[in-house]
């Protein structure tokens, strides 16, 4: 039905930057909110940032001012620019999209497979 494919994770030193990208494809009628979540070992998955189809953004307090989420509605993509990375940002990052699919116009959340981000010297 709908696939979310992520890219851009990796290993970076503290203070460095990474950019994550996610592309949605499949039987998409429209996409409501898109966002990025993360899950560190032994912790619950948490919201990092989200953006509505109208461009309204929301950030976790721990990343505000360091991360920027952006979206291209025409391409069904969402990116996360991560600057001033800290070791505590280390986690698997998951792309999420709330999608209305064709032809039945059903709406549900879809998830990417996850991409590892490691911040370490």
């Amino acid at each position: 039905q709908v696939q979310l494919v992520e890219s851009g994770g990796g290993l970076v030193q503290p203070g460095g930057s990474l950019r994550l990208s996610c592309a949605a494809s499949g039987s998409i009628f429209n996409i409501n909110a898109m966002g990025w979540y993360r899950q560190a070992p032994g912790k619950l998955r948490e919201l990092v940032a989200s953006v509505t189809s109208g461009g309204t953004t929301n950030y976790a307090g721990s990343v505000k001012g360091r991360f920027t989420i952006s979206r291209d509605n025409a391409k069904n993509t969402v990116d996360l620019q991560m600057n001033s990375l800290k070791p505590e940002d280390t986690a698997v990052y998951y792309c999420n999209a709330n999608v209305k699919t064709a032809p039945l116009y059903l709406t549900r959340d879809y998830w990417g497979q996850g991409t590892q981000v490691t911040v370490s010297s």
Side-chain angles (χ1 to χ4, degrees):
Q1 286 191 345
V2 175
Q3 298 80 40
L4 300 182
V5 178
E6 302 140 339
S7 60
L11 172 65
V12 64
Q13 292 186 343
S17 298
L18 280 176
R19 188 176 184 88
L20 305 182
S21 296
C22 174
S25 63
S27 304
I28 298 170
F29 178 75
N30 65 23
I31 303 178
N32 301 311
M34 300 185 80
W36 289 92
Y37 289 70
R38 67 186 181 188
Q39 188 167 19
K43 295 189 176 181
L44 297 175
R45 190 173 297 189
E46 63 175 359
L47 174 69
V48 177
S50 65
V51 56
T52 68
S53 57
T56 300
T57 57
N58 180 47
Y59 294 93
S62 60
V63 308
K64 201 170 290 187
R66 300 188 297 122
F67 292 9
T68 302
I69 191 169
S70 59
R71 162 177 187 168
D72 186 326
N73 290 332
K75 296 181 179 179
N76 292 331
T77 60
V78 61
D79 292 346
L80 184 69
Q81 177 66 41
M82 305 185 293
N83 298 328
S84 302
L85 282 160
K86 305 175 180 180
E88 50 264 42
D89 295 317
T90 296
V92 178
Y93 284 69
Y94 296 91
C95 177
N96 170 270
N98 185 258
V99 181
K100 179 180 287 187
T101 56
L104 298 180
Y105 305 119
L106 300 176
T107 301
R108 53 158 282 195
D109 279 343
Y110 290 86
W111 294 88
Q113 78 282 2
T115 184
Q116 177 69 46
V117 171
T118 302
V119 185
S120 175
S121 55

